[in-house]
Structure formats: C-alpha cells, structure tokens
Amino acid sequence: MTNSNGKRTVIFDLDGTLADTSGDLIASANACFHALGHGKPLDPIADALTAFHGGRAMLRLGFERLNGKADEAAVDREFPNLLKAYEADIDRHTVLYPGAMDAVGRLHGAGYAVGICTNKPEGLARLLLTRLGILESFTSLIGADTLPTRKPDPAPFVAAARQAGGDPNRALLVGDTVTDRDTAKAAGVPCILVGFGPEGAGVARLAPEAMLDHYDALDATVAQLIG
C-alpha cells in the first residue's frame, strides 16, 4: 500500500552523507588492533573510504596489512570489540558536513518530510545523532538492524519515508555510495549523491539523478527531482 496523502520526502544516509564519521570509525578499528598488540595499521585519512564500508571491512583491511590476508574468524571475533570501542567514543572526531543542517531546516520549512536511513546499527545512529544535537531534526530513523533487511534492500528506505509521515513514491534518497544508489534504484526513486563524501566526485560514475557539491544547492535539486 502507498501513502498517497503523505508528504514529499527526503531521506538521508548518515555516514559520509550528513557527517564525516570516518575518523571515529577508523579509531574504533585501530583500538582493536592496538589491544592485540599490533599498533594502529589504519590511517584516518587514507582509509576513510573503507571506513564507510563498515566495521568488518576496516578489520579485514587491517588484518591484510598485518598478516597479508584477512582471517574471517578474527574479523568476527573483533567486530563486537570494535562496536564497543566506537560506542565509547563515537563523536570525538565526527563533524557534520558544511550546510547540512541548514539544508535540513529549509526542507522542513518547505513542507518536506525528512528522515534517515542508515546501515549503522540503529542504537549507534541514535546515540551519534543525540551527541551531535540533531536527533530531533529528523522525523524518522531506520538503522541496519531496525528491520530484517538493510540497504540496498528498499524496505528500510520505504520504512523511513513512511515513519517520517511521507510518501515513498514521492521521495528521494541522498547518499554517498553505491549502496545508496542501488537502494534508490530498488525503491524506484531518484538518488542524489554527494560529491564531498569519501569517494568525492568519483561517485558520479554511478549515474545518480543528481550530484551535490554543497548542501546550499540541495533545495533546488530536490525541487527539480520531486517537486
């Protein structure tokens, strides 16, 4: 069923889209390696893109650098430790991208429903948004573990739109990776990819409906795509 009476809706990814969380993500992985006596094999700048592919991706990369290969058993063993380290120091280095929250405010003022759909566990996403003081700026939050499936399955996006009081058929997704692009395709909605995330302008290769170089231009781009 569709929510034909719902608002036009803008759903945001979180990591790499609204906020640069790479420094804290890398630090959590390095904390695991440090506890194992391996130092800090990951670089917060050079490895930022890997950080946005998730905790296991960071652990795999670290083990590959240390041992020449990734031991999946070791990755699985350290993953809970990574989550604990991340939760304990979730906002030390994280910063919102310039203009992000001003743009969110303008969308609310223009009558759009605004929410978040992220592959970060919901509890951690809620904690980070609270620490950043922006949780109440979004009327929905769907995380990786909110539903049985996660992006690029379209169900979390649809749930985020409906939870926000919006219409999934009059919605779009703002993201930064192929996961967001594929989610939008699966949901049959437009996708805006940011050119200031970890991959930079390289995400244009994914042929989104629009690219965003700065949040100052979001309003006009959204209006072009969904009215």
Side-chain angles (χ1 to χ4, degrees):
M1 293 179 64
T2 61
N3 183 4
S4 60
N5 294 320
K7 296 180 178 181
R8 295 166 301 162
T9 307
V10 179
I11 299 298
F12 291 87
D13 174 54
L14 177 52
D15 298 68
T17 300
L18 284 169
D20 182 354
T21 56
S22 59
D24 289 314
L25 291 167
I26 292 292
S28 67
N30 277 336
C32 295
F33 294 116
H34 182 73
L36 294 171
H38 296 313
K40 299 178 180 181
L42 301 181
D43 184 272
I45 297 175
D47 298 323
L49 184 57
T50 299
F52 293 122
H53 289 155
R56 286 186 168 85
M58 292 186 292
L59 292 170
R60 288 189 191 101
L61 178 60
F63 281 121
E64 286 171 2
R65 287 182 178 162
L66 293 167
N67 305 322
K69 64 178 181 179
D71 181 343
E72 287 302 314
V75 169
D76 289 343
R77 183 181 65 247
E78 290 302 317
F79 186 64
N81 296 328
L82 181 150
L83 293 179
K84 290 178 183 176
Y86 184 59
E87 181 176 8
D89 208 8
I90 198 169
D91 63 336
R92 179 179 297 272
H93 305 293
T94 291
V95 293
L96 292 161
Y97 286 113
M101 296 314 299
D102 287 339
V104 168
R106 292 194 302 271
L107 290 173
H108 279 298
Y112 292 91
V114 185
I116 290 177
C117 181
T118 174
N119 274 352
K120 185 190 290 296
E122 182 183 342
L124 290 176
R126 192 172 298 277
L127 175 62
L128 178 59
L129 294 169
T130 300
R131 292 279 184 84
L132 294 175
I134 62 172
L135 178 63
E136 294 182 356
S137 295
F138 301 91
T139 47
S140 70
L141 172 59
I142 301 295
D145 52 357
T146 307
L147 301 178
T149 58
R150 55 192 285 175
K151 296 185 299 184
D153 189 290
F157 170 82
V158 171
R162 287 179 173 157
Q163 187 183 90
D167 181 351
N169 293 319
R170 303 173 68 207
L172 60 76
L173 177 61
V174 183
D176 69 300
T177 66
V178 64
T179 299
D180 298 309
R181 181 70 184 111
D182 289 346
T183 302
K185 283 183 179 179
V189 301
C191 181
I192 300 174
L193 292 180
V194 301
F196 45 77
E199 193 174 339
V203 292
R205 65 186 170 79
L206 301 173
E209 280 69 28
M211 288 285 297
L212 190 69
D213 295 325
H214 192 284
Y215 271 112
D216 287 351
L218 182 63
D219 315 56
T221 305
V222 168
Q224 289 173 356
L225 293 174
I226 60 173

